Short mmCIF file of all heavy atoms in Angstrom, two decimals:
data_model
loop_
_atom_site.label_atom_id
_atom_site.label_comp_id
_atom_site.label_asym_id
_atom_site.label_seq_id
_atom_site.Cartn_x
_atom_site.Cartn_y
_atom_site.Cartn_z
N MET A 1 10.89 -36.97 6.27
CA MET A 1 9.69 -36.44 5.67
C MET A 1 10.12 -35.41 4.61
O MET A 1 10.95 -34.56 4.87
CB MET A 1 8.84 -35.78 6.76
CG MET A 1 7.51 -35.28 6.26
SD MET A 1 6.45 -34.57 7.57
CE MET A 1 5.82 -36.04 8.33
N CYS A 17 1.04 -22.95 7.67
CA CYS A 17 2.15 -22.87 8.61
C CYS A 17 2.96 -21.63 8.30
O CYS A 17 3.04 -21.19 7.16
CB CYS A 17 3.08 -24.08 8.48
SG CYS A 17 2.38 -25.62 9.06
N THR A 23 5.70 -10.75 9.86
CA THR A 23 6.04 -9.34 9.78
C THR A 23 5.83 -8.70 11.14
O THR A 23 4.86 -8.97 11.82
CB THR A 23 5.14 -8.65 8.73
OG1 THR A 23 5.30 -9.33 7.50
CG2 THR A 23 5.53 -7.22 8.54
N THR A 28 5.14 -2.86 10.14
CA THR A 28 4.06 -2.81 9.16
C THR A 28 3.28 -1.51 9.29
O THR A 28 3.04 -0.82 8.30
CB THR A 28 3.12 -4.01 9.34
OG1 THR A 28 3.84 -5.21 9.06
CG2 THR A 28 1.91 -3.92 8.43
N ALA A 29 2.87 -1.18 10.51
CA ALA A 29 2.10 0.04 10.75
C ALA A 29 2.89 1.28 10.35
O ALA A 29 2.34 2.21 9.76
CB ALA A 29 1.67 0.12 12.21
N GLN A 32 2.90 1.51 6.53
CA GLN A 32 1.59 1.91 6.04
C GLN A 32 1.32 3.38 6.35
O GLN A 32 0.80 4.11 5.51
CB GLN A 32 0.50 1.02 6.63
CG GLN A 32 0.54 -0.39 6.10
CD GLN A 32 -0.40 -1.32 6.84
OE1 GLN A 32 -0.57 -1.24 8.05
NE2 GLN A 32 -1.00 -2.23 6.09
N ARG A 34 3.55 5.76 6.77
CA ARG A 34 4.40 6.58 5.89
C ARG A 34 3.78 6.70 4.51
O ARG A 34 3.69 7.80 3.94
CB ARG A 34 5.79 5.94 5.79
CG ARG A 34 6.72 6.66 4.84
CD ARG A 34 8.11 6.00 4.83
NE ARG A 34 8.88 6.50 3.71
CZ ARG A 34 9.13 5.80 2.62
NH1 ARG A 34 8.75 4.56 2.49
NH2 ARG A 34 9.83 6.33 1.64
N GLN A 38 2.24 10.16 2.84
CA GLN A 38 2.77 10.68 1.57
C GLN A 38 1.67 10.77 0.52
O GLN A 38 1.63 11.74 -0.24
CB GLN A 38 3.93 9.82 1.10
CG GLN A 38 5.16 10.03 1.95
CD GLN A 38 6.35 9.21 1.52
OE1 GLN A 38 6.21 8.17 0.88
NE2 GLN A 38 7.53 9.67 1.87
N GLN A 44 -3.15 16.64 -1.35
CA GLN A 44 -3.24 18.07 -1.07
C GLN A 44 -2.53 18.88 -2.15
O GLN A 44 -3.05 19.89 -2.62
CB GLN A 44 -2.64 18.39 0.30
CG GLN A 44 -3.45 17.90 1.45
CD GLN A 44 -2.79 18.16 2.79
OE1 GLN A 44 -1.65 18.63 2.87
NE2 GLN A 44 -3.49 17.85 3.87
N THR A 48 -4.21 21.54 -5.16
CA THR A 48 -3.81 22.93 -5.37
C THR A 48 -2.95 23.09 -6.63
O THR A 48 -2.37 24.15 -6.85
CB THR A 48 -3.03 23.47 -4.16
OG1 THR A 48 -1.86 22.69 -3.98
CG2 THR A 48 -3.88 23.45 -2.91
N HIS A 49 -2.85 22.01 -7.40
CA HIS A 49 -2.06 21.99 -8.64
C HIS A 49 -0.60 22.33 -8.38
O HIS A 49 0.06 22.97 -9.19
CB HIS A 49 -2.65 22.92 -9.69
CG HIS A 49 -4.09 22.63 -9.97
ND1 HIS A 49 -4.49 21.51 -10.63
CD2 HIS A 49 -5.22 23.30 -9.63
CE1 HIS A 49 -5.81 21.48 -10.71
NE2 HIS A 49 -6.29 22.57 -10.10
N THR A 73 -3.63 -5.37 1.44
CA THR A 73 -4.66 -5.96 2.28
C THR A 73 -5.90 -6.27 1.46
O THR A 73 -6.23 -5.54 0.53
CB THR A 73 -5.04 -5.03 3.44
OG1 THR A 73 -5.52 -3.79 2.90
CG2 THR A 73 -3.87 -4.78 4.37
N SER A 76 -5.87 -6.00 -2.35
CA SER A 76 -5.55 -4.75 -3.04
C SER A 76 -4.26 -4.91 -3.84
O SER A 76 -3.47 -5.80 -3.59
CB SER A 76 -5.41 -3.60 -2.04
OG SER A 76 -4.25 -3.74 -1.26
N GLU A 84 -1.31 4.34 -10.90
CA GLU A 84 -2.42 4.85 -11.71
C GLU A 84 -2.97 6.15 -11.15
O GLU A 84 -3.35 7.05 -11.90
CB GLU A 84 -3.53 3.79 -11.80
CG GLU A 84 -3.16 2.60 -12.65
CD GLU A 84 -4.22 1.52 -12.67
OE1 GLU A 84 -5.23 1.62 -11.92
OE2 GLU A 84 -4.05 0.55 -13.43
N HIS A 88 -1.12 8.75 -13.54
CA HIS A 88 -2.11 8.85 -14.62
C HIS A 88 -3.41 9.53 -14.19
O HIS A 88 -4.31 9.68 -15.00
CB HIS A 88 -2.41 7.45 -15.17
CG HIS A 88 -1.17 6.75 -15.66
ND1 HIS A 88 -0.46 7.16 -16.77
CD2 HIS A 88 -0.50 5.69 -15.16
CE1 HIS A 88 0.58 6.36 -16.94
NE2 HIS A 88 0.59 5.46 -15.98
N VAL A 97 -6.77 3.41 -3.28
CA VAL A 97 -5.66 3.73 -2.39
C VAL A 97 -6.20 4.31 -1.08
O VAL A 97 -5.75 3.93 0.01
CB VAL A 97 -4.66 4.70 -3.05
CG1 VAL A 97 -3.64 5.21 -2.05
CG2 VAL A 97 -3.97 4.03 -4.23
N VAL A 110 -5.51 10.75 4.70
CA VAL A 110 -5.87 10.90 3.29
C VAL A 110 -7.24 11.56 3.19
O VAL A 110 -8.05 11.48 4.10
CB VAL A 110 -5.87 9.54 2.56
CG1 VAL A 110 -4.47 8.95 2.51
CG2 VAL A 110 -6.84 8.56 3.19
#
Side-chain angles (χ1 to χ4, degrees):
M1 184 177 281
C17 289
T23 304
T28 296
Q32 290 171 322
R34 176 178 167 253
Q38 288 180 336
Q44 289 177 354
T48 61
H49 306 289
T73 59
S76 70
E84 289 176 354
H88 303 292
V97 171
V110 295

